[in-house]
Amino acid sequence: MTENAPQQQTDLPGAWNPAEEEATLYQGWVDAGYFTADATSDKPPFTVVIPPPNVTGSLHIGHAFEHTLIDAVTRYHRMLGDETLYLPGMDHASIAVHALVEKQLRAEGTSRRELGREAFVERVWEWKEQYGGKILAQMKRLGDGVDWSRERFTMDDGLSKSVNTIFKRLYEDGLIYRAERLVNWSPELRSVLSDAEVEHKEVEGELVSMRYGDGADAIVVATTRIETMLGDTAVAVHPDDERYAHLVGTEVELPLTGRRIPIVADKHVDPEFGTGAVKVTPAHDPNDFEIGQRHGLAMLTIMDETGRIADTGTEFDGMDRFEARVAIRERLRELDRIVAEKRPYLHSVGHSERSKEPIEPRLSLQWFVKVGPLAKAAGDAVRDGRVDVHPVELRKRYFDWVDNLHDWCISRQLWWGHRIPVWYGPNDEVVCVGPDEQPPSGEGWHQDEDVLDTWFSSGLWPFSTLGWPEKTPDMNKFYPTSVLLTGYDILFFWVVRMMMFGIYATGEPPFKTIALHGMVRDKFGKKMSKTAGNGVDPIEWMDLYGTDPVRFALTRGANPGTDLPISEEAVTGARSFTTKLWNATKFAMMNGATVAGEVPPVAELTEADRWILGRLDLVVGEVTAQLADFQFAKASETLYQFTWNELCDWYLELAKVQFYDGTEEVAGRTRLVLGHVLDTVLRLLHPFIPFITEKLWTSLTGGESVVVAQWPTVTGGYADPVVDGRIADVQKLVTEIRRFRADQGLKPGQKVAARLSGPGFDELSGHADSVRSLVRLTVGEDGFAPSVSVEVGLTTGAAKIELDLSGTVDVVAERKRLQKDLGAAQKELAQADVKLANQSFMDKAPEPVVAKIRGRRETALTDIDRITALLAALPEA
């Protein structure tokens, strides 16, 4: 109920026009400061930081899905009265930006290396100002209720200070170190890639078996990357493989190199794969690296940063890795060392997400975070209940990641990003410089050339955006954040890192709840991709149907932790819902629905009024509980069913009778009830469909804005099982009469004389006018001659409906129609019987197919009985 509501508006246009309304409404919310959080407020805080999209990005369907869910939950909490902060921002996206700007430079006939570091970084900032942030405008289009006054960028001065501060602390605590380790290497970018930037694809390659050594000591190994044999430092076999037991501990000559390498026993080897013997290249394969560490093998890097063979002392030095693959294979063939070849051979190969090239596992000197103690703290925070993972089924996936983390490579050989704050001196000095410290100067001192992995700064996002390491009012008020709403696909890449850094830096987990959603897929459940051509552009859908239907289609499928198949049909269905809501509100306002007054006492209400108010109370309770539990799909569906089926299809129809056929007192009370119900429904729907609810709610109530309206609460006192039972009987009776009318061939709007009787109807006598109005029946006067009748079983007994069809139905035409329908049903029955009697078919057909045929047979039998009865009831022509 809106207290002291001003005079309502009544000038709703005939239809909702989102293209004309949405942008104006959104800017009005921003200008009014509805999304600006107050760190000095006494209200309880509710904080969500946006998963920062890349500065290069534009709004794709995954963004639209995630942002809609976050916006829904923050709008809900704002209406609850919480001091709500939905904090926006962008990630600097080192690799993505490099790829775009370097593409521009190539088009200009230059490169970043020709430009130089300082000029290149300046060029990137220029690009960011000109092209970056497209997604921010699209977020406004989606209705994201973010606090634009607190917008952040991971390369801002404040966030850069946070990055520098935590690097220094980690370094001094021995949790950051520099070492040679195997990494994902991009020859094109000449940089390390994170696991998140590597896509694994099935490719058609080759499996080549080749012989090392000669005579009795010869051993055959198989590989998909023959070029790496130049870096082999061992051959490994399984310790229980008797075929090679006599060779373990001996050496064999490595072809083309003149080196001799040992044969070692290691349990990692699968005796069933190939010959059971594998070549070991520790500097170019992650599994081989582990074997190399266990056996103290030499680790020879045989490729430079561009992916060319280097420092092997062979004729292949200088060749590209793929060129070398062919040359080495053919040289081994000349030496009669190729034993077998399988081509094509399907296997998984990691590719750079940006440059699309195959990545090269490569031993390299890099910076790492020692994650052991950090990961343990992140795991403990969930185990001891400080952080809740929702849905609970995904806790196991969280622990699978956090309990099995390897040390994290954080250095990248790029220029755009947070440069590693380490200086090297002329006498091998190493100095880590904090944000308020001066770097060493003098001849021979230089800063590390690398920048930090983008995920490093993203890992600080929940607290760096609030001003950490300073003790700012925002940190005091809004940290820890309330919930992280994000996809399960980045549970490891981002969520775990935020947990590690948040606990390490502040002593508290960065959020109280991790609410994980699934991936948006196409309508067949397949992953969307440019290659598959099944992606959708949410902006196009918003252009066609408006923003609200896109949001509602997404929330109706948003079950926690599960993937969402989306289709344009779902959006058009949601648009039908918003159209229904618009028309219902417009009808109500045209008939004087109002919030200017209290809902009348229960004793003064009709049973229809009490029923809808009782149902509304249940819906308020259900939706509130569902939103609190991040059950967006259930909340959306609850509101859809109530609004469409109960409010629009039933109560509005019953209200028409009370408006037009009741007394002025009844009509006046109905206007108050309908106004209250719509006011409440529009507030409940607002988090999901903010634009149309704002227009309708302010027009109906005259209130300031539904954005800052109070969230509805359960009123109580309306629920009455007896009343609910009577309305259910009215619904059943009306539904059966409508079906009966259709069976008689009557048009929907055609009025027919009828007599209603029986104990069931007598119990509903107070609803007689409503029933007759809803099913277009008039009272049978003198001379009433019923030609057909039907009985409907209700909770209090049977209701008999008799219709006088004289002059209303063309009996000859109706008999012809029914006979045609009877023939079709009999044909369906015969076809089903033939199939079910065919033993050969029954033996081979899947059970679901057989069940479907049996179902069709039962339907046909029911139709035959029904139509036969209708034919018998028809009067003679």
Side-chain angles (χ1 to χ4, degrees):
M1 192 70 218
T2 302
E3 297 181 2
N4 303 317
Q7 183 63 39
Q8 69 186 38
Q9 304 166 15
T10 56
D11 57 348
L12 278 179
W16 168 240
N17 190 332
E20 291 183 0
E21 299 274 6
E22 288 177 353
T24 302
L25 289 174
Y26 186 87
Q27 192 58 48
W29 295 333
V30 173
D31 293 343
Y34 296 149
F35 305 144
T36 304
D38 181 2
T40 66
S41 166
D42 292 332
K43 295 190 291 184
F46 184 83
T47 316
V48 181
V49 293
I50 196 170
N54 286 351
V55 66
T56 59
S58 58
L59 191 80
H60 58 60
I61 194 67
H63 288 131
F65 178 48
E66 183 167 85
H67 288 210
T68 295
L69 301 187
I70 299 173
D71 191 53
V73 79
T74 51
R75 285 178 184 270
Y76 160 66
H77 276 272
R78 191 176 290 112
M79 296 174 76
L80 280 178
D82 295 340
E83 192 59 50
T84 302
L85 171 60
Y86 178 11
L87 193 149
M90 294 184 296
D91 187 275
H92 63 278
S94 289
I95 290 180
V97 170
H98 261 266
L100 286 170
V101 176
E102 290 193 71
K103 183 179 179 181
Q104 286 185 349
L105 293 176
R106 284 195 298 271
E108 297 169 11
T110 186
S111 70
R112 68 164 163 133
R113 298 184 189 282
E114 290 183 14
L115 208 59
R117 183 170 197 141
E118 186 176 340
F120 176 79
V121 171
E122 287 180 6
R123 178 68 176 263
V124 173
W125 277 110
E126 290 172 5
W127 178 92
K128 186 257 181 185
E129 294 305 315
Q130 186 173 359
Y131 300 107
K134 176 183 178 182
I135 194 170
L136 298 179
Q138 294 171 329
M139 285 168 55
K140 295 177 182 178
R141 178 77 186 277
L142 188 65
D144 271 323
V146 299
D147 184 345
W148 292 109
S149 70
R150 287 178 167 88
E151 181 189 337
R152 298 292 183 264
F153 180 53
T154 49
M155 290 288 287
D156 285 347
D157 289 343
L159 274 67
S160 295
K161 180 178 181 180
S162 299
V163 169
N164 200 342
T165 299
I166 202 165
F167 186 99
K168 171 85 171 179
R169 290 188 188 180
L170 288 164
Y171 180 83
E172 291 181 340
D173 287 346
L175 295 174
I176 282 183
Y177 64 92
R178 198 180 190 211
E180 275 199 322
R181 294 285 187 272
L182 207 67
V183 296
N184 301 314
W185 187 263
S186 166
E188 183 168 323
L189 293 170
R190 301 190 200 180
S191 176
V192 176
L193 300 180
S194 72
D195 290 340
E197 293 150 344
V198 176
E199 297 176 328
H200 288 273
K201 302 177 183 178
E202 293 290 317
V203 300
E204 291 185 348
E206 61 182 15
L207 181 66
V208 180
S209 298
M210 53 189 171
R211 187 180 70 256
Y212 290 1
D214 295 295
D217 295 337
I219 192 166
V220 175
V221 298
T223 180
T224 58
R225 302 176 67 225
I226 199 169
E227 69 278 9
T228 63
M229 60 86 59
L230 298 175
D232 287 1
T233 55
V235 172
V237 298
H238 194 277
D240 298 333
D241 194 334
E242 295 180 357
R243 294 173 296 175
Y244 302 112
H246 67 291
L247 293 177
V248 174
T250 66
E251 292 184 340
V252 66
E253 183 174 333
L254 181 66
L256 306 179
T257 67
R259 289 189 288 111
R260 294 188 66 81
I261 59 176
I263 298 175
V264 300
D266 195 282
K267 288 185 177 180
H268 169 76
V269 178
D270 179 4
E272 302 299 320
F273 176 75
T275 64
V278 297
K279 59 188 287 298
V280 182
T281 319
H284 291 278
D285 183 275
N287 294 321
D288 293 2
F289 179 78
E290 299 292 335
I291 294 175
Q293 286 196 313
R294 284 193 289 271
H295 296 275
L297 301 177
M299 300 194 180
L300 304 180
T301 300
I302 62 160
M303 293 184 202
D304 65 15
E305 62 180 17
T306 67
R308 293 185 173 275
I309 306 298
D311 303 323
T312 67
T314 69
E315 62 191 276
F316 309 104
D317 282 358
M319 287 187 183
D320 175 80
R321 53 184 169 154
F322 301 116
E323 179 187 357
R325 179 175 298 176
V326 176
I328 291 171
R329 184 187 66 225
E330 294 311 308
R331 188 74 180 93
L332 289 170
R333 193 189 310 281
E334 293 173 6
L335 297 174
D336 197 27
R337 297 218 170 254
I338 301 297
V339 175
E341 297 173 80
K342 185 175 182 180
R343 195 180 294 111
Y345 179 73
L346 196 65
H347 64 124
S348 180
V349 176
H351 288 69
S352 166
E353 183 184 48
R354 295 293 170 185
S355 59
K356 307 304 179 186
E357 63 180 326
I359 61 105
E360 185 63 43
R362 182 171 183 263
L363 191 66
S364 180
L365 182 63
Q366 302 290 340
W367 286 94
F368 292 85
V369 171
K370 184 179 181 181
V371 300
L374 304 176
K376 182 182 184 304
D380 289 345
V382 173
R383 287 188 171 94
D384 64 25
R386 282 176 290 156
V387 178
D388 177 43
V389 175
H390 188 279
V392 68
E393 299 81 38
L394 291 180
R395 280 169 58 99
K396 181 181 183 300
R397 186 179 296 190
Y398 176 84
F399 291 132
D400 285 345
W401 281 117
V402 81
D403 293 343
N404 297 285
L405 283 180
H406 298 290
D407 285 0
W408 169 22
C409 178
I410 56 171
S411 46
R412 298 291 181 268
Q413 291 62 55
L414 302 169
W415 291 347
W416 170 245
H418 298 101
R419 193 167 177 179
I420 290 176
V422 171
W423 269 255
Y424 305 104
N427 299 310
D428 297 327
E429 301 97 332
V430 179
V431 177
C432 182
V433 178
D436 299 318
E437 301 171 350
Q438 290 298 316
S441 58
E443 186 177 350
W445 285 93
H446 64 281
Q447 187 178 358
D448 195 299
E449 293 290 328
D450 292 349
V451 299
L452 289 165
D453 178 10
T454 300
W455 294 102
F456 191 94
S457 53
S458 298
L460 314 183
W461 188 252
F463 51 96
S464 65
T465 52
L466 298 174
W468 186 90
E470 309 303 329
K471 294 181 179 179
T472 64
D474 278 3
M475 274 295 291
N476 292 333
K477 179 71 175 180
F478 297 114
Y479 187 87
T481 67
S482 305
V483 61
L484 174 73
L485 265 163
T486 193
Y488 64 69
D489 56 315
I490 57 172
L491 184 58
F492 163 65
F493 300 117
W494 188 44
V495 179
V496 170
R497 285 162 167 74
M498 286 190 289
M499 286 286 285
M500 292 193 301
F501 281 169
I503 296 169
Y504 173 79
T506 72
E508 294 184 87
F511 16 76
K512 301 178 181 73
T513 300
I514 301 169
L516 299 167
H517 60 72
M519 307 284 287
V520 183
R521 299 186 179 274
D522 72 9
K523 62 182 178 181
F524 303 109
K526 295 181 180 178
K527 183 178 179 180
M528 292 184 181
S529 69
K530 291 180 180 178
T531 305
N534 60 347
V536 296
D537 182 352
I539 300 297
E540 289 183 4
W541 281 355
M542 285 187 263
D543 288 341
L544 285 170
Y545 307 113
T547 296
D548 291 322
V550 176
R551 289 175 59 120
F552 201 59
L554 291 168
T555 59
R556 284 189 77 188
N559 290 297
T562 60
D563 291 345
L564 161 68
I566 191 69
S567 66
E568 191 165 2
E569 291 79 8
V571 180
T572 57
R575 183 184 60 172
S576 296
F577 175 75
T578 57
T579 300
K580 186 99 168 176
L581 182 66
W582 179 273
N583 291 338
T585 308
K586 184 174 178 62
F587 163 81
M589 292 173 61
M590 288 172 61
N591 285 276
T594 180
V595 297
E598 296 294 329
V599 174
V602 172
E604 297 179 11
L605 298 175
T606 67
E607 289 190 341
D609 295 338
R610 291 168 62 187
W611 167 75
I612 197 65
L613 290 170
R615 288 293 304 137
L616 180 65
D617 258 358
L618 284 174
V619 168
V620 169
E622 288 176 4
V623 172
T624 301
Q626 288 159 349
L627 275 177
D629 196 36
F630 310 105
Q631 299 282 354
F632 299 101
K634 288 183 178 179
S636 301
E637 192 63 20
T638 298
L639 286 167
Y640 178 91
Q641 296 298 337
F642 174 78
T643 304
W644 190 296
N645 296 331
E646 296 182 285
L647 174 57
C648 294
D649 282 358
W650 287 106
Y651 182 70
L652 283 185
E653 296 303 313
L654 295 170
K656 287 177 184 178
V657 179
Q658 296 177 180
F659 280 145
Y660 306 146
D661 300 335
T663 65
E664 182 52 39
E665 290 78 7
V666 169
R669 290 192 288 267
T670 302
R671 294 184 185 102
L672 286 168
V673 170
L674 184 52
H676 170 74
V677 172
L678 280 169
D679 166 28
T680 303
V681 166
L682 291 169
R683 283 186 279 158
L684 292 172
L685 281 166
H686 176 69
F688 307 97
I689 47 175
F691 292 106
I692 194 171
T693 51
E694 174 78 343
K695 181 70 174 181
L696 293 175
W697 188 86
T698 53
S699 296
L700 173 71
T701 69
E704 178 186 348
S705 171
V706 71
V707 174
V708 291
Q710 183 179 347
W711 184 255
T713 56
V714 175
T715 304
Y718 298 114
D720 185 331
V722 175
V723 170
D724 290 348
R726 285 204 189 99
I727 298 299
D729 276 347
V730 168
Q731 292 172 328
K732 182 176 181 182
L733 183 59
V734 167
T735 301
E736 291 301 322
I737 293 175
R738 284 172 174 166
R739 183 179 294 116
F740 184 51
R741 284 176 55 103
D743 286 341
Q744 307 309 315
L746 294 170
K747 296 176 181 178
Q750 187 176 3
K751 291 189 175 183
V752 180
R755 183 162 58 210
L756 307 178
S757 60
F761 181 73
D762 292 343
E763 191 66 26
L764 300 180
S765 58
H767 298 280
D769 290 343
S770 295
V771 171
R772 290 183 182 278
S773 175
L774 291 173
V775 293
R776 304 294 190 270
L777 299 181
T778 61
V779 178
E781 305 291 348
D782 293 340
F784 175 77
S787 49
V788 291
S789 66
V790 68
E791 283 195 356
V792 179
L794 303 176
T795 57
T796 55
K800 185 176 182 181
I801 303 97
E802 299 172 286
L803 303 182
D804 183 354
L805 301 181
S806 55
T808 61
V809 175
D810 184 334
V811 176
V812 173
E814 183 61 14
R815 187 180 301 279
K816 185 176 181 181
R817 182 184 71 81
L818 289 172
Q819 286 173 338
K820 181 179 178 182
D821 291 346
L822 179 63
Q826 290 169 336
K827 182 178 180 181
E828 179 72 18
L829 175 64
Q831 290 175 339
D833 283 341
V834 168
K835 288 187 176 179
L836 294 173
N838 185 333
Q839 194 59 47
S840 175
F841 170 79
M842 295 294 287
D843 291 341
K844 296 176 182 177
E847 181 54 36
V849 173
V850 175
K852 186 176 181 180
I853 294 172
R854 287 186 174 133
R856 284 163 48 191
R857 185 180 187 278
E858 291 302 315
T859 300
L861 283 170
T862 302
D863 287 345
I864 289 170
D865 290 343
R866 178 178 59 81
I867 297 169
T868 301
L870 290 172
L871 282 167
L874 278 178
E876 294 297 326

